[in-house]
Amino acid sequence: MKPITIGAVLFVAGCGGASEATVEAQTAANATAETTAAIAAAETAAPKDHPQASLHLKLARDQLHQAKRLMQEDENDKAQLLLMRATADAELALMLARESDAKEKAERARAQVDSLSSHP
Amino acid sequence: MKSLRPMLATPLFLCAACASAPPSKQLVDARRAYEDARTSSAADYRPDAVLTAKQALVRAERAHDDDPGSFREVSLAYVAEREAQKAQAWGEYEVGVQAIEQADDDYKRKQAQMLADTQNDKQAAEARLETQSTELNQERAARQQAEQRAAAAISSLEQIARVKEEARGTVITLEGAVLFVTGKSELAPLAQQKLTEVAKALNDIDPSKRIVVEGHTDSRGSDEDNLALSQRRATTVRDYLVSQGVAEDRITAVGRGETQPLASNDTTEGRANNRRVEIVIGSGNADATNADATRETTD
């Protein structure tokens, strides 16, 4: 009975270890996909001549690249943190782009109102 | 979203105070960024984003407490700083969106106002035009009526006297024999009837025109007597016309004596023509010729 019990325990432990690694890899893959999507969204929205947005986009891309390398080396924890940073940079770039776009549009709309009142 | 705001103001750094190791530069930056976001427009427009930034900062603070200066602390602080900056940008984005909406509303309102103003102006212009055209028509009708009345008056005058257009105006000549007994200045019985008609015609022709009543004699008798007689007769005619409704201030009387004969004084017929009263309806209006007429009366 005893060897069987030990074997069963080992088997279960082995199974547990294997599934944890799978979950970690899956999580990393999800995070990578999330970061990639955030970067793509920011690239679509951010104009090239917006220096701050461009800077954060570059940081996002660099950190995504670094995270992928770390994942190949099985440094998944560190990779995870780098992906979070990359996503935060991409989202910030997107919001900065939206902010300056809204401000520009507001300025144009106000100028239109002013042009209307200067031609009574 | 507004209800989130009080939560954002709760003190964050209770644990930070008791931690022995100093925070990383990244954590210091994250704290400052969060403070900026918390006091920016984001607090009003995107309290949810500010709350997310706060939660990110809390995670970074915990990482610092657990393992000061670790890659985890630095990374979570890095994320927290960007979350705070994102919240602030989001707030500014909402400010911009609201400004666009406000400007659009203002634009529509002003446009509507301008349209209404234009329509009001147009209506006012049409109303003015209408009034002007009505006034013009009334004036034209009144003028036509006056002209018709004047023409009728002239033709009725032609029944009882000679009417002639001269440079000095319309001249109505009444024979002296019809108006006066020889040598006298009182009106003969039939004269009143004629002068009543003349007075009516004078008012119909044009009440604004000056009238001069001129007395003329033939050459028999002395110049002085003739002048005095002609003056008296002119005055009698004037007074009678005034009594028949001709405005006193538009009619004057003047004696010409024998100075302006129409025909030769050598014949009976000629002398009869020269004895006359002329009523001159001036071409100018009463005010313009007033001074002239006053002088004639006082001569």
Side-chain angles (χ1 to χ4, degrees):
Chain A
M1 278 294 277
K2 219 174 185 183
I4 295 168
T5 312
I6 293 163
V9 169
L10 280 175
F11 175 75
V12 170
C15 273
S19 72
E20 200 176 297
T22 313
V23 167
E24 220 172 69
Q26 188 60 48
T27 311
N30 283 346
T32 309
E34 200 182 303
T35 305
T36 308
I39 290 173
E43 279 171 341
T44 314
K48 299 242 180 330
D49 58 355
H50 194 302
Q52 261 191 298
S54 300
L55 170 69
H56 286 286
L57 249 176
K58 185 186 173 339
L59 288 170
R61 283 194 210 101
D62 290 352
Q63 288 172 118
L64 172 64
H65 186 69
Q66 230 179 314
K68 280 178 176 168
R69 232 185 28 229
L70 286 171
M71 280 188 280
Q72 281 168 356
E73 294 161 14
D74 260 353
E75 292 228 48
N76 285 324
D77 282 349
K78 214 171 171 188
Q80 196 82 29
L81 288 168
L82 277 171
L83 287 176
M84 282 175 72
R85 291 163 62 143
T87 304
D89 271 314
E91 285 179 359
L92 177 57
L94 174 64
M95 195 47 76
L96 288 170
R98 289 177 69 188
E99 178 200 346
S100 53
D101 180 55
K103 287 199 163 160
E104 243 171 63
K105 280 180 180 157
E107 234 167 81
R108 275 205 302 275
R110 181 51 56 191
Q112 251 184 327
V113 174
D114 291 345
S115 77
L116 207 59
S117 39
S118 62
H119 300 290
Chain B
M1 278 210 273
K2 285 267 172 197
S3 58
L4 290 174
R5 207 176 169 181
M7 293 172 67
L8 304 177
T10 55
L12 248 187
F13 311 122
L14 289 176
C15 288
C18 44
S20 50
S24 63
K25 180 193 172 294
Q26 194 61 62
L27 186 53
V28 174
D29 288 347
R31 289 173 183 170
R32 194 184 305 120
Y34 174 70
E35 275 308 297
D36 287 348
R38 198 175 63 80
T39 51
S40 72
S41 56
D44 285 325
Y45 290 100
R46 299 306 308 197
D48 53 341
V50 180
L51 184 63
T52 303
K54 180 183 176 179
Q55 288 160 348
L57 183 58
V58 168
R59 278 195 294 277
E61 296 285 356
R62 279 195 198 126
H64 169 70
D65 292 344
D66 293 347
D67 190 2
S70 63
F71 184 68
R72 188 174 168 76
E73 178 201 321
V74 171
S75 293
L76 291 181
Y78 183 102
V79 171
E81 185 187 5
R82 272 133 188 88
E83 285 293 343
Q85 289 169 337
K86 189 174 86 179
Q88 202 171 341
W90 207 338
E92 285 303 295
Y93 162 79
E94 296 292 352
V95 169
V97 168
Q98 209 168 61
I100 293 169
E101 283 168 5
Q102 183 65 54
D104 284 350
D105 285 352
D106 288 352
Y107 189 85
K108 281 177 198 150
R109 205 175 43 245
K110 277 189 177 176
Q111 213 173 26
Q113 186 58 51
M114 279 164 71
L115 195 70
D117 286 351
T118 311
Q119 275 168 352
N120 286 345
D121 286 352
K122 195 175 151 223
Q123 277 171 4
E126 280 170 359
R128 271 200 304 278
L129 216 63
E130 177 85 25
T131 311
Q132 280 169 1
S133 132
T134 307
E135 282 171 1
L136 218 63
N137 283 338
Q138 283 168 350
E139 251 175 52
R140 194 177 299 138
R143 204 168 51 239
Q144 270 173 3
Q145 246 175 7
E147 279 166 8
Q148 279 168 5
R149 226 182 13 249
I154 296 278
S155 66
S156 75
L157 271 179
E158 281 167 345
Q159 309 292 316
I160 52 170
R162 280 205 311 278
V163 181
K164 245 186 349 182
E165 287 299 329
E166 292 182 14
R168 54 186 172 148
T170 307
V171 181
I172 303 158
T173 305
L174 296 157
E175 284 175 40
V178 177
L179 296 175
F180 301 104
V181 179
T182 310
K184 305 274 184 188
S185 60
E186 290 79 35
L187 292 173
L190 275 177
Q192 291 191 353
Q193 195 189 328
K194 281 203 170 194
L195 288 176
T196 302
E197 283 178 55
V198 170
K200 185 179 173 298
L202 287 178
N203 281 334
D204 281 348
I205 287 169
D206 186 347
S208 70
K209 283 187 173 168
R210 281 213 64 83
I211 299 164
V212 180
V213 180
E214 291 185 354
H216 297 271
T217 62
D218 60 23
S219 62
R220 289 179 303 174
S222 75
D223 290 355
E224 290 77 18
D225 287 349
N226 284 336
L227 190 62
L229 178 63
S230 67
Q231 176 70 59
R232 282 200 305 278
R233 285 181 164 180
T235 303
T236 301
V237 169
R238 175 193 174 275
D239 291 348
Y240 189 78
L241 291 173
V242 168
S243 78
Q244 295 304 306
V246 177
E248 197 170 359
D249 57 359
R250 66 182 279 233
I251 184 163
T252 49
V254 59
R256 303 287 188 206
E258 57 181 78
T259 59
Q260 293 175 15
L262 287 180
S264 165
N265 277 308
D266 295 340
T267 63
T268 311
E269 196 191 344
R271 285 195 293 275
N273 280 332
N274 290 338
R275 291 191 300 272
R276 68 197 192 276
V277 168
E278 290 178 352
I279 298 168
V280 184
I281 305 162
S283 50
N285 65 29
D287 291 334
T289 52
N290 212 12
D292 199 29
T294 309
R295 204 187 61 239
E296 283 179 351
T297 321
T298 51
D299 276 349

